[in-house]
Amino acid sequence: MRVSVLMETSTPSSRLVARHGLSLWLELSDGRRVLFDMGPDDAFLANARQLGVDVTTAHLAVLSHGHYDHGGGLPAFLRLCEDAGRKVPVFVRERAFETHASGTGERHHFIGLDPALADEPGVTMLAAGDVREVAPGLVLFCAPRRDHPISKSNARLLMVGEDGRLAPDDFAHEQSLLVREGSRNILVSGCSHSGILNIMDAAESLTETPLNVVIAGFHLMDPSGGRVEDAALTRSLAHELRLRPTRYYTFHCTGTDAFSLLRDELGERVTYLHVGSCADV
């Protein structure tokens, strides 16, 4: 499988636009194509054109969770597909279009999506906790168990609307993609708000074997300060990741400071992907 980064927080190229967000283009070995997340706005489409990617040829699209930096470009994608006469199913988890906020009950800002998008043709809602094979070898799933700790900013700052008030987010709106190619198992996750180790455990309960590749943001960056939010937690995570026979590709909410700590432990088994990066995994 080849992964190309259509949107991420940094780029080494003046031809490409960087935004706080994520969009990935997945090309499977059998020729199928998957759009995974759509960045904060329509800028990922301009990057796709520069990279020679026609996103309307996707066989399906996935929205990893209900935050604007991953789904803000969804309206532009739907319009582009309509203009091209293409019907691309977009799989979204229930509660993705509910109210989402970052901060505290007293001081916060909203980071969700337009709820009207839930009624757009082509958007398919999956029940919370549902494990669904949406195409042969492509499984969408959630990580309900929390055997491993999640980052502090996830637990402290991210909230969801509940009964007219804001409550700590349980990330029931988050989903990850398991790609099965022959004997190889590849995990694709957006921000891994549920904790990357928890998500890997959930994936491996489906595969019954260790994952070969993980492509994911690890949410190790303090969104307010832009620096690694907890060096001790990051080092502990790096140690746990090293114990697994897996190759890692990361980006976006991992942050470059946290990546440096991961690299110290994992060496060349971990790679940071920027806008325009392509990797055969």
Side-chain angles (χ1 to χ4, degrees):
M1 186 179 85
R2 167 169 285 192
V3 56
S4 300
V5 182
L6 305 183
M7 182 53 64
E8 202 266 335
T9 55
S10 59
T11 175
S13 171
S14 61
R15 297 185 304 111
L16 302 171
V17 179
R19 295 274 194 275
H20 175 73
L22 182 68
S23 179
L24 306 176
W25 182 248
L26 310 178
E27 298 173 89
L28 279 62
S29 58
D30 62 7
R32 288 180 295 166
R33 297 169 294 277
V34 177
L35 178 63
F36 188 93
D37 285 345
M38 297 140 216
D41 52 32
D42 62 357
F44 82 101
L45 296 176
N47 287 340
R49 287 190 290 271
Q50 286 287 347
L51 295 170
V53 171
D54 180 358
V55 296
T56 68
T57 65
H59 291 78
L60 60 92
V62 175
L63 182 61
S64 65
H65 61 292
H67 292 169
Y68 81 93
D69 52 331
H70 293 252
L74 175 58
F77 174 67
L78 294 173
R79 286 194 302 270
L80 187 65
C81 289
E82 182 178 8
D83 292 344
R86 303 270 176 79
K87 294 183 179 180
V88 180
V90 181
F91 292 96
V92 183
R93 194 63 57 168
E94 277 183 353
R95 302 188 67 188
F97 296 111
E98 293 185 1
T99 300
H100 297 281
S102 177
T104 65
E106 296 74 30
R107 299 183 62 184
H108 58 265
H109 61 282
F110 292 100
I111 58 173
L113 304 170
D114 181 355
L117 292 171
D119 298 321
E120 287 286 337
V123 173
T124 300
M125 305 294 286
L126 301 181
D130 183 24
V131 176
R132 181 80 64 91
E133 186 172 36
V134 293
L138 299 175
V139 179
L140 289 171
F141 67 97
C142 300
R145 294 182 59 178
R146 299 289 189 275
D147 296 331
H148 304 279
I150 64 175
S151 70
K152 291 182 179 179
S153 63
N154 281 332
R156 186 179 72 250
L157 298 177
L158 296 178
M159 296 175 289
V160 63
E162 189 174 280
D163 299 325
R165 62 182 180 84
L166 291 174
D169 200 334
D170 62 1
F171 307 113
H173 58 100
E174 182 178 55
Q175 60 183 350
S176 299
L177 174 66
L178 175 63
V179 181
R180 290 170 162 162
E181 289 199 311
S183 62
R184 303 182 76 245
N185 296 299
I186 302 167
L187 169 65
V188 185
S189 180
C191 275
S192 307
H193 288 295
S194 301
I196 187 59
L197 293 176
N198 295 315
I199 294 171
M200 290 177 68
D201 283 352
E204 289 174 350
S205 72
L206 299 173
T207 64
E208 298 183 342
T209 59
L211 296 166
N212 299 96
V213 176
V214 168
I215 304 165
F218 296 160
H219 211 277
L220 298 171
M221 181 178 67
D222 179 351
S224 58
R227 306 181 71 83
V228 59
E229 69 160 35
D230 188 322
L233 183 146
T234 300
R235 290 191 179 95
S236 175
L237 170 64
H239 176 72
E240 292 290 335
L241 294 176
R242 185 175 62 82
L243 296 178
R244 304 188 185 215
T246 305
R247 181 78 167 84
Y248 303 96
Y249 296 86
T250 193
F251 33 63
H252 179 44
C253 56
T254 297
T256 53
D257 288 343
F259 174 73
S260 296
L261 297 178
L262 296 173
R263 185 80 173 184
D264 289 344
E265 184 79 23
L266 292 164
E268 294 185 358
R269 287 176 56 199
V270 61
T271 298
Y272 197 98
L273 301 178
H274 304 273
V275 177
S277 295
C278 295
D280 292 316
V281 302

